Amino acid sequence: MNFQLTEEHLAVQAAAREFAQTELLPGVIERDEHQKFPAEQIKKMGELGFLGMMVDPKYNGGGMDTISYVLAMEEISKVDASASVVMSVNNSLVCWGLEKYGTEEQKQKYLTRLATGEIIGAFCLSEPEAGSDATSQRTTAEDKGDYYLLNGTKNWITNGSTASVYLVIAQTDPEKKHRGINAFIVERGMEGFQVGLKENKLGIRGSDTHSLMFTDVKVPKENRIGEDGFGFKFAMSTLAGGRIGIAAQALGIASGAYELAVKYSKERKAFGVEIAKHQAIQFKLADMATNIEAARLLCLKAAFHKDTHQDYGMSGAMAKLFASKVAMETTVEAVQVHGGYGFVKEYHVERLMRDAKITQIYEGTSEIQKIVISRELLK
Ligand code: CAA
């Protein structure tokens, strides 16, 4: 066992922290309030290599390990979870999915540009009637010989209007149930593809969440990912890694709120002393720090499993289940430590509290993580 980060890990962590403090912090409150996508910041994140961290350098990626990705996700999420969800979806759902399962042509055509952030990607599984029950896909992809005809609606799609490439899951053969599902690469400009309503959200308001409509979109056969019928396994396998990214996002939201609570408690005075001198506050900070450390270890362990080619389905689900709970609890307590100031926007903790909630919902709700974990335990 070695709990020491390497020089490279520390360098990635420091670079992400520096970027978050200098580039993401200014304007984060306004972007949240006005639901403004952090376009310039995302462009810079691409230039610095944060959008294709784990992709092989031969496809323009950073060639880094999952531990580096977790460390960077934590630092970015401490400050701006709207930016970190873009980073997470692009890295672990879109780039990873294409690198693992795409053809060489697909990688050359799409992955090389997604890894640098020249373009960004979206992952389209959820539908109005298929959230947790992901096999109930109503979007259809009819096999027409050399192309598929795509029809249907996707909901709550991160990077909905800003992506150029969309990985879309659809039902080709309903009789085969989940074994009749396929995954496709759909380009923004394809005829019949329309970006729908932008969601007005509780949290991660700077991220760009839309419904998408597909009406007789002709998707060339070469844009199918994997063999016919591989789409559901593609989605599940990709999400297993995605959950490590969201766990790290939740960890970052929690540790960002905790750091603000520590800082504030040393500045604010009540009853003649800094509130950090009161045991009521000290106990809250002790609980927060302990929970955060446990969440961090779960995230790093899941990343270690992925990097060492061990099964990471259960450890990733555990990391997400626990870190998202810690994010919710810690941010609520951080608001409490701040008292009235915590309830106003300038102090950041109310935003972190709103941002925390989604980590218990997307890329599989906490209840879905418990299904994944318990199935593995009872195998
Ligand atoms: N890797 C590969 N294959 C897998 C897998 C994995 N991790 N997990 C399951 N599968 C395969 C199974 O082996 C099975 O295949 P066979 O029948 O051929 O053996 C097939 O998938 C179906 O599996 P289940 O029988 O377990 O399916 P289920 O209907 O019971 O559903 C579930 C399982 C875990 C509940 C799944 O539906 C699920 O994960 N739901 C949540 C969906 C989700 O996470 N959505 C997130 C949306 S994306 C998002 O949020 C991104 C964003 O924008 C931030």
Side-chain angles (χ1 to χ4, degrees):
M1 297 276 289
N2 181 0
F3 287 93
Q4 206 67 42
L5 293 175
T6 64
E7 290 293 319
E8 290 80 16
H9 290 146
L10 290 169
V12 172
Q13 188 181 47
R17 185 175 300 157
E18 167 79 10
F19 179 81
Q21 294 298 327
T22 56
E23 303 283 347
L24 292 171
L25 189 57
V28 67
I29 293 172
E30 292 72 23
R31 290 196 298 275
D32 170 73
E33 190 160 3
H34 302 295
Q35 302 188 75
K36 189 169 180 288
F37 184 77
E40 281 168 40
Q41 291 80 357
I42 295 296
K43 189 167 174 284
K44 283 189 190 158
M45 282 168 77
E47 286 160 7
L48 289 170
F50 287 124
L51 297 184
M53 291 183 70
M54 295 169 289
V55 175
D56 192 316
K58 75 177 179 195
Y59 300 115
N60 299 337
M64 285 179 235
D65 59 11
T66 317
I67 289 182
S68 302
Y69 170 57
V70 163
L71 296 171
M73 274 297 294
E74 179 182 353
E75 293 304 324
I76 301 289
S77 307
K78 277 182 187 176
V79 175
D80 189 348
S82 295
S84 74
V85 70
V86 180
M87 176 174 161
S88 185
V89 167
N90 204 68
N91 272 287
S92 44
L93 297 184
V94 181
C95 286
W96 188 86
L98 278 177
E99 185 167 15
K100 175 86 177 163
Y101 298 113
T103 62
E104 188 55 30
E105 290 71 34
Q106 290 169 348
K107 291 180 203 178
Q108 291 298 343
K109 190 169 177 189
Y110 301 107
L111 181 59
T112 50
R113 291 189 295 147
L114 287 159
T116 60
E118 180 195 327
I119 56 172
I120 58 171
F123 184 83
C124 313
L125 173 69
S126 304
E127 299 188 351
E129 289 171 83
S132 291
D133 183 8
T135 56
S136 296
Q137 294 288 306
R138 301 276 165 89
T139 298
T140 54
E142 220 182 311
D143 191 344
K144 293 283 188 187
D146 51 358
Y147 65 90
Y148 285 88
L149 205 58
L150 196 62
N151 279 289
T153 301
K154 293 288 174 182
N155 262 26
W156 312 292
I157 303 303
T158 303
N159 303 337
S161 76
T162 42
S164 302
V165 169
Y166 298 75
L167 306 187
V168 181
I169 315 298
Q171 184 64 259
T172 296
D173 188 343
E175 284 192 359
K176 291 188 182 157
K177 303 199 168 142
H178 67 266
R179 295 194 184 120
I181 290 175
N182 278 309
F184 302 95
I185 304 167
V186 175
E187 290 180 28
R188 179 66 184 279
M190 284 181 174
E191 208 181 322
F193 172 29
Q194 221 188 327
V195 175
L197 191 75
K198 177 171 171 161
E199 302 293 350
N200 184 2
K201 310 191 295 288
L202 170 75
I204 56 162
R205 287 169 60 79
S207 84
D208 161 46
T209 313
H210 283 257
S211 57
L212 304 175
M213 276 88 73
F214 304 94
T215 313
D216 289 338
V217 179
K218 284 185 179 173
V219 183
K221 211 145 217 183
E222 64 264 25
N223 282 27
R224 191 183 72 209
I225 303 171
E227 293 298 306
D228 185 27
F230 181 65
F232 191 73
K233 287 197 178 175
F234 169 81
M236 289 298 109
S237 161
T238 305
L239 277 165
R243 288 166 185 162
I244 302 176
I246 299 303
Q249 180 188 46
L251 168 66
I253 294 171
S255 53
Y258 162 74
E259 286 176 11
L260 289 167
V262 169
K263 181 169 174 283
Y264 181 81
S265 69
K266 289 180 180 168
E267 291 165 1
R268 172 75 172 165
K269 286 193 172 154
F271 305 101
V273 291
E274 291 83 32
I275 61 168
K277 298 224 164 81
H278 295 300
Q279 202 175 55
I281 300 296
Q282 291 167 353
F283 279 15
K284 283 189 195 299
L285 297 177
D287 279 338
M288 287 180 189
T290 307
N291 286 332
I292 289 168
E293 191 57 18
R296 185 176 290 118
L297 291 175
L298 279 175
C299 288
L300 290 172
K301 188 170 180 191
F304 171 77
H305 283 163
K306 185 159 178 280
D307 288 337
T308 51
H309 311 290
Q310 300 181 61
D311 195 335
Y312 52 89
M314 183 169 80
S315 53
M318 282 181 170
K320 183 180 182 291
L321 174 66
F322 188 74
S324 60
K325 181 168 171 276
V326 169
M328 209 57 249
E329 289 170 1
T330 306
T331 53
V332 168
E333 284 294 73
V335 171
Q336 192 71 13
V337 168
H338 281 74
Y341 290 105
F343 205 63
V344 296
K345 296 198 182 288
E346 289 89 309
Y347 284 78
H348 297 282
V349 283
E350 66 80 35
R351 185 186 72 257
L352 291 167
M353 186 181 84
R354 288 186 284 105
D355 289 349
K357 187 59 206 168
I358 191 62
T359 65
Q360 294 185 305
I361 298 173
Y362 60 19
E363 299 205 21
T365 61
S366 296
E367 291 73 16
I368 292 296
Q369 305 313 320
K370 289 182 191 178
I371 292 178
V372 173
I373 296 163
S374 55
R375 280 186 183 173
E376 199 61 35
L377 296 174
L378 299 169
K379 242 181 189 174

